[in-house]
Amino acid sequence: MTTRRSSRRGTSRIETPRTPAAVLWDMDGTLVDTEPFWIGAERALVESYGGTWSDELAHRCVGNPLLVSATIIRDNSPVELTPEQIVDHLLGLVVAEMRRHVPWRPGARELLESLVAEGIPCALVTMSYVRFAQVLLDVLPAGTFATVVTGDAVTHGKPHPEPYLTAAERLGVDPRDCIALEDSPPGVRSAVAAGVPTVAVPHVVPVPALAGAVQVPTLDGVTPQGLARLVATATAPAER
């Protein structure tokens, strides 16, 4: 994600961040703070069957495809619904919360708007279903996202690389020329496996250090140029 320019007086090189071909956004926990909605819905469902839902189990669901999370719920609680029924139930609760209030993560909406203003294509790459993603799309200007990849539109969800490869293919760009924004271990692994330089913004759960990803505590104050510099720093070769 950098271009190099040699100095006139020697062999030293100046790293100049290159504008990404596209920025690929995760939704839950990265763009919007909806993880509390999901955890609350999970807890309400489990408790309605007389069970308890711990933070540890809730955190195991973060970033996963919805059917995977539904299976975790079914395997660790008295809930007798099928995974598909669990997903449908949770979606109903979370969509209702989202329609009442869109809880933006710090700096995320501002960065998204800046990228769009500079003509940098953005994609939404989420394991939530289109039914939920549409709630977010409805509050944004038309065309904010050049493409949307949802969990019900891919065969393999995160941490498989398919979601990010699909987004890059739809945009007609090389994954290596993009930047992904993620908050969860499955999401970061998905983007890195797709070859996308990744900025991890851990939120509900910690994200292990991975080659190909740089971590920041927040997107607050991050500009498109700053985003490119973050990735350039993370991927720059060590000096000799």
Side-chain angles (χ1 to χ4, degrees), residues 88-100:
D88 188 64
H89 180 85
L90 295 179
L91 275 172
L93 295 176
V94 177
V95 165
E97 289 287 348
M98 187 77 158
R99 290 200 183 281
R100 282 191 283 269

Side-chain angles (χ1 to χ4, degrees), residues 120-199:
I120 299 172
C122 290
L124 189 64
V125 186
T126 175
M127 289 300 89
S128 291
Y129 288 2
V130 66
R131 169 183 168 191
F132 181 42
Q134 189 61 49
V135 181
L136 176 64
L137 299 177
D138 287 344
V139 303
L140 292 169
T144 295
F145 290 105
T147 192
V148 177
V149 178
T150 56
D152 49 350
V154 295
T155 302
H156 304 289
K158 302 172 185 178
H160 194 279
E162 182 185 346
Y164 280 100
L165 292 174
T166 299
E169 181 180 10
R170 288 184 183 178
L171 294 174
V173 296
D174 189 321
R176 296 169 296 181
D177 294 331
C178 301
I179 295 176
L181 296 170
E182 273 285 356
D183 75 301
S184 71
V188 172
R189 291 191 180 100
S190 173
V192 169
V196 183
T198 303
V199 176

Side-chain angles (χ1 to χ4, degrees), residues 6 25 43 46 63 73 77 85 101 114 118 120 137 149 153 169 177-178 181 183-184 190 199 203 208 213 221 224 239:
S6 299
W25 289 80
R43 182 168 286 117
V46 172
I73 293 170
S77 78
Q85 289 171 327
H101 170 60
S114 295
E118 294 196 13
I120 299 172
L137 299 177
V149 178
E169 181 180 10
D177 294 331
C178 301
L181 296 170
D183 75 301
S184 71
S190 173
V199 176
H203 180 33
E239 294 184 1

